[in-house]
Amino acid sequence: MHAANNKRVHNTSNYKNSNLIVRRNNEFFFTISFSKPFNNLQDNVQIEFLIGSSPDVNKGTYIILSIGIEKLFGGWKSRVVETRGNNVTVGVTPDASCTIGRFRTFVVIVSDFGKQRTQRDANTDFYVLFNPWDPADQVYIPRDTDRQEYVMNDVGVIYNGEFNNITSRLWNFGQFEEGVLDACLLALDAGKVPILYRGNAIEMVRQGSALINSQDDDGVLVGNWSGDYSIGTAPTAWTGSPEILLKYAREGCVPVCFAQCWVFAGVLNTLLRCLGIPTRVITNYSSAHDNTGNLKTDIVLDEDGKVDRSRTRDSVWNYHCWNEVYMKRPDLPEKFSGWQVVDCTPQEISDGLYRCGPTSVNAIKEGELSYPFDAKFVFAELNSDVIYRQSDKYGNSKLLYVDTSYVGKLLVTKRLNSNAYEDITSTYKYPEGSEKDKQTMQNAERRGVPTRDYLPVAEAGVNIELLADNIKIGDNFKLTMNIKNQTSQTCTVSATITGSAMYYTGVTSMTFKTENKTATVKAWNTTKLMIDVQAVDYMPYLVEQANLLFVVNGRIEETGVFLSTMRVVTLRPPELTIKVTGTPRVGKDLMVIVSFRNPYSFILKKVQLRLDAPGLITTRMKSYEQILPGGSVQYTETITPQTPGKRVLIGCLDCAALRQVTNQLEINVV
């Protein structure tokens, strides 16, 4: 099969797989050895390629090519390249839209006595993938720098934290690791994705978004936002996709526990890059999860100005991760080709399954929401208004304040050749309040999005903003409240501030602070108030990813107009240290030391420490029963690099009391 030479030409040398791997519409070569010299005028030889359990000539899953006389079959081409003695080298070009997956190869000699076929041989099986290098392929992406990042890069950065304090973690996509390609194809089989769909990138992406989550189809990952992960692995503890996909394959396609949005996005990214589709992970900061689908995110306050958790059903996630794939959309007007949103975090049902996309980023920007698939849902995640309402004990509610710019504040993805982020907000949205933005909303309303009949709300002429520094878990800190009076009258503002511990999904757990403040602000002036936040108050209630949500509900005494705002503060976890001894060299042992000290006054129990090094080792995990206050752990691993080049070590420490303590170290192997 000349695997090594063919793989170089097909950009598949990185796959740790001994079989041949080729891309669509790109010729590959193999040699057939006969028992006597081949005569193309006398000998009738056919080559058969079969995929799936019931190959069918009419469905493109049973390919028959003859050699000697160049013939076409359903777009696949074959030719004799060279005849030398009893050996014939054949060139085959798979069709630009053929099914992707693992094909079986047979050579058939046809004579007057019937057909003689070679035995089944797994070593001559080969894989066909999408081809983003070829203009004839649906997933063609023109720039090589894009292909290197979105198809070939096996490590990425996923951004989290919150809009005012962007944090990140490295993720091992590992699409070339041993067993990952087979695990991805197994996931398609387990999800019963018809072989017929597997040549169409739109269908593959749509099916992929359903089969990465376990809702309704026993897919790869089980979503869990409860805080209790005792029967599986906490979403924050994973360092990459290979560990998850290989576990899924090894354990007979039993869904792996547990995932949240960035894990879903990381694994879908691996699946699609592995199959050859350009894919990237996107983070949307302040992402609306609008349970009622009406482009309104309702925050309900009680009579005291505190968030009423029982009546607040919608939430604004600090961040939400999804994916974008690059492809032609022959089913849509041409301007809607290019980047498409696809989201496999199970949130809403689409055509009977938990999935979302592909939906054109350009269509979302223009408010053209009637095109497939799921454009309205994605549009709401980016464009919902936050509506503060006050509800009395009888359930009567009144509108206090509308914030049209809180949601969809910033969208980012990893920059090409860099771990820094690229701001891609302008690909999804026009500037807030611009003419184009208003036009998009009008288009959306024409496409069935409810009109915003509550606008405009009375302008208060007074703004409240909350500010906080970058704060470590366990620190006392001050929250600054700026009250800005942009009117010609002095005003008195009375405000209620509530502080709650919060999950990254915007769901609050416990309220730990309520404080009332009053300030008199002169015309055209700003008054600054300080709110003390003590660690002893918030630490007992802190939940994973250490977010605190502060909501302010204010009232201008003179006019009775209400003002509301909220601010998320993400607290910083302690340090994890990664060191290596000596210069990393090919064939030489390298010592990696991961260490951590518990800075808290409480015991950390059932601690998991992972070390991942794509291209160097498979994921390693060490468990510690406990780490005492002030106590340290040190984990040492010996690595022997096999190839030169830049590599990255990823470490992650995780336990119930302290989630997502991560670090990374780049090394250069010489």
Side-chain angles (χ1 to χ4, degrees):
M1 298 303 279
H2 305 304
N5 288 345
N6 280 317
K7 280 176 169 175
R8 270 198 294 281
V9 178
H10 287 254
N11 299 293
T12 57
S13 301
N14 292 8
Y15 288 88
K16 292 195 175 112
N17 187 315
S18 55
N19 285 62
L20 174 59
I21 301 170
V22 301
R23 296 191 187 274
R24 305 198 294 192
N25 206 34
N26 195 357
E27 191 173 37
F28 66 95
F29 304 96
F30 57 93
T31 301
I32 305 167
S33 298
F34 294 104
S35 58
K36 62 176 190 181
F38 168 72
N39 180 335
N40 67 336
L41 299 175
Q42 290 174 358
D43 297 321
N44 185 358
V45 175
Q46 293 176 344
I47 300 157
E48 299 180 332
F49 302 127
L50 289 73
I51 188 169
S53 53
S54 47
D56 183 331
V57 170
N58 297 317
K59 290 182 176 171
T61 54
Y62 188 160
I63 314 293
I64 304 171
L65 301 169
S66 18
I67 57 169
I69 311 148
E70 190 173 326
K71 284 185 184 171
L72 287 180
F73 179 92
W76 289 60
K77 301 186 193 73
S78 64
R79 66 190 181 105
V80 173
V81 177
E82 184 185 48
T83 306
R84 186 175 288 181
N86 293 354
N87 293 343
V88 177
T89 299
V90 179
V92 169
T93 307
D95 179 48
S97 59
C98 75
T99 290
I100 62 110
R102 183 172 177 144
F103 284 83
R104 309 182 285 284
T105 307
F106 297 93
V107 177
V108 184
I109 295 172
V110 184
S111 68
D112 298 342
F113 306 107
K115 291 184 173 184
Q116 193 185 349
R117 184 179 270 103
T118 50
Q119 295 290 314
R120 163 94 167 93
D121 178 2
N123 295 317
T124 62
D125 286 2
F126 66 98
Y127 301 83
V128 179
L129 306 179
F130 290 99
N131 191 353
W133 279 262
D134 181 41
D137 200 296
Q138 193 183 352
V139 302
Y140 171 65
I141 189 166
R143 293 191 319 183
D144 192 57
T145 47
D146 287 339
R147 289 191 287 265
Q148 294 310 316
E149 183 69 68
Y150 303 132
V151 182
M152 302 301 284
N153 198 347
D154 58 355
V155 183
V157 183
I158 299 180
Y159 298 94
N160 47 28
E162 47 92 23
F163 165 68
N164 296 292
N165 180 15
I166 293 170
T167 54
S168 65
R169 59 179 302 167
L170 253 62
W171 190 264
N172 171 15
F173 295 128
Q175 65 267 39
F176 305 122
E177 297 294 317
E178 192 175 343
V180 168
L181 174 56
D182 286 323
C184 290
L185 295 174
L186 183 65
L188 298 180
D189 292 342
K192 299 186 174 57
V193 177
I195 296 273
L196 211 57
Y197 284 178
R198 298 189 193 182
N200 179 342
I202 297 170
E203 278 296 344
M204 281 293 275
V205 162
R206 185 148 177 75
Q207 300 276 341
S209 90
L211 59 82
I212 293 296
N213 70 65
S214 66
Q215 248 96 334
D216 53 45
D217 56 3
D218 280 344
V220 178
L221 281 158
V222 180
N224 182 347
W225 284 264
S226 72
D228 177 7
Y229 313 115
S230 50
I231 62 161
T233 299
T236 41
W238 303 111
T239 50
S241 309
E243 184 183 0
I244 292 165
L245 286 163
L246 296 174
K247 181 176 166 69
Y248 178 74
R250 190 173 63 241
E251 295 179 2
C253 302
V254 174
V256 177
C257 300
F258 289 108
Q260 291 173 3
C261 69
W262 70 93
V263 184
F264 285 118
V267 175
L268 183 58
N269 216 65
T270 298
L271 172 85
L272 299 177
R273 278 190 192 179
C274 188
L275 301 177
I277 301 173
T279 315
R280 58 190 188 179
V281 176
I282 309 298
T283 301
N284 175 32
Y285 285 99
S286 300
S287 189
H289 189 117
D290 172 8
N291 279 305
T292 40
N294 59 1
L295 237 57
K296 302 186 183 93
T297 298
D298 289 309
I299 307 291
V300 182
L301 307 176
D302 63 17
E303 289 171 295
D304 301 328
K306 296 198 300 236
V307 176
D308 185 333
R309 282 168 47 215
S310 63
R311 290 202 171 106
T312 301
R313 282 184 61 232
D314 296 341
S315 65
V316 179
W317 296 30
N318 280 4
Y319 62 90
H320 178 45
C321 298
W322 59 64
N323 303 76
E324 279 180 6
V325 293
Y326 195 90
M327 62 174 65
K328 288 191 193 80
R329 288 294 300 266
D331 56 328
L332 304 183
E334 198 177 325
K335 64 181 176 180
F336 299 134
S337 286
W339 289 111
Q340 314 285 318
V341 173
V342 54
D343 187 350
C344 63
T345 296
Q347 297 183 89
E348 300 288 325
I349 290 174
S350 171
D351 297 339
L353 294 176
Y354 278 95
R355 56 182 167 193
C356 176
T359 188
S360 161
V361 173
N362 291 344
I364 289 164
K365 183 172 182 175
E366 301 300 337
E368 297 285 356
L369 307 183
S370 44
Y371 295 113
F373 296 88
D374 309 311
K376 279 188 190 143
F377 181 74
V378 178
F379 188 80
E381 291 181 294
L382 295 158
N383 292 294
S384 272
D385 291 336
V386 176
I387 300 181
Y388 295 90
R389 299 181 184 280
Q390 192 161 38
S391 181
D392 64 20
K393 57 177 177 283
Y394 306 110
N396 304 316
S397 80
K398 65 175 177 190
L399 186 135
L400 297 180
Y401 184 71
V402 176
D403 191 337
T404 56
S405 63
Y406 188 86
V407 165
K409 276 242 188 348
L410 174 71
L411 290 107
V412 300
T413 189
K414 179 185 175 300
R415 194 183 286 272
L416 296 175
N417 301 321
S418 159
N419 284 351
Y421 67 80
E422 180 186 351
D423 178 347
I424 56 165
T425 315
S426 63
T427 64
Y428 282 87
K429 300 174 90 167
Y430 288 108
E432 195 71 45
S434 66
E435 278 310 309
K436 286 276 203 183
D437 181 41
K438 288 174 188 156
Q439 205 175 322
T440 292
M441 284 314 291
Q442 283 163 8
N443 284 345
E445 285 168 7
R446 279 202 291 275
R447 303 288 180 274
V449 166
T451 52
R452 305 201 280 183
D453 48 16
Y454 45 81
L455 291 177
V457 176
E459 282 296 320
V462 179
N463 278 343
I464 296 182
E465 65 170 350
L466 290 175
L467 303 174
D469 291 332
N470 195 340
I471 300 134
K472 283 215 300 274
I473 295 173
D475 283 0
N476 300 330
F477 65 95
K478 285 188 182 343
L479 196 64
T480 306
M481 181 163 78
N482 286 334
I483 305 172
K484 200 179 205 175
N485 182 357
Q486 291 162 307
T487 71
S488 55
Q489 310 288 318
T490 297
C491 69
T492 307
V493 177
S494 57
T496 303
I497 301 104
T498 47
S500 313
M502 183 188 90
Y503 293 93
Y504 88 97
T505 55
V507 175
T508 54
S509 65
M510 291 296 290
T511 298
F512 64 85
K513 184 175 188 67
T514 306
E515 195 168 320
N516 295 311
K517 293 267 187 192
T518 305
T520 302
V521 191
K522 291 190 176 138
W524 312 112
N525 261 7
T526 300
T527 295
K528 190 180 284 190
L529 298 178
M530 306 305 278
I531 296 135
D532 280 317
V533 183
Q534 300 292 319
V536 290
D537 294 335
Y538 70 73
M539 283 300 281
Y541 304 112
L542 215 50
V543 291
E544 58 200 65
Q545 297 188 50
N547 296 302
L548 305 177
L549 172 69
F550 294 95
V551 177
V552 176
N553 180 41
R555 183 174 178 272
I556 302 169
E557 299 296 348
E558 288 78 3
T559 60
V561 172
F562 287 93
L563 312 160
S564 298
T565 188
M566 49 187 172
R567 171 70 190 249
V568 176
V569 176
T570 300
L571 305 172
R572 204 172 69 241
E575 299 288 306
L576 184 73
T577 311
I578 307 177
K579 287 182 182 153
V580 296
T581 55
T583 306
R585 292 182 190 283
V586 173
K588 290 272 190 297
D589 283 358
L590 177 69
M591 196 101 106
V592 179
I593 301 153
V594 185
S595 51
F596 172 80
R597 181 183 161 275
N598 176 5
Y600 303 117
S601 57
F602 49 87
I603 300 172
L604 299 176
K605 293 176 182 165
K606 296 203 165 112
V607 181
Q608 285 189 350
L609 180 59
R610 274 178 175 71
L611 176 67
D612 219 340
L616 291 172
I617 53 165
T618 52
T619 313
R620 303 279 193 262
M621 189 189 86
K622 184 125 173 88
S623 296
Y624 300 93
E625 204 47 48
Q626 60 178 32
I627 306 174
L628 295 170
S632 296
V633 291
Q634 186 167 302
Y635 168 53
T636 307
E637 182 72 47
T638 304
I639 295 176
T640 313
Q642 301 301 319
T643 50
K646 279 208 168 83
R647 291 280 181 259
V648 64
L649 307 169
I650 306 169
C652 179
L653 179 133
D654 200 86
C655 65
L658 188 63
R659 297 284 182 208
Q660 194 163 291
V661 181
T662 63
N663 204 351
Q664 65 255 1
L665 178 68
E666 287 195 359
I667 61 170
N668 198 11
V669 180
V670 293

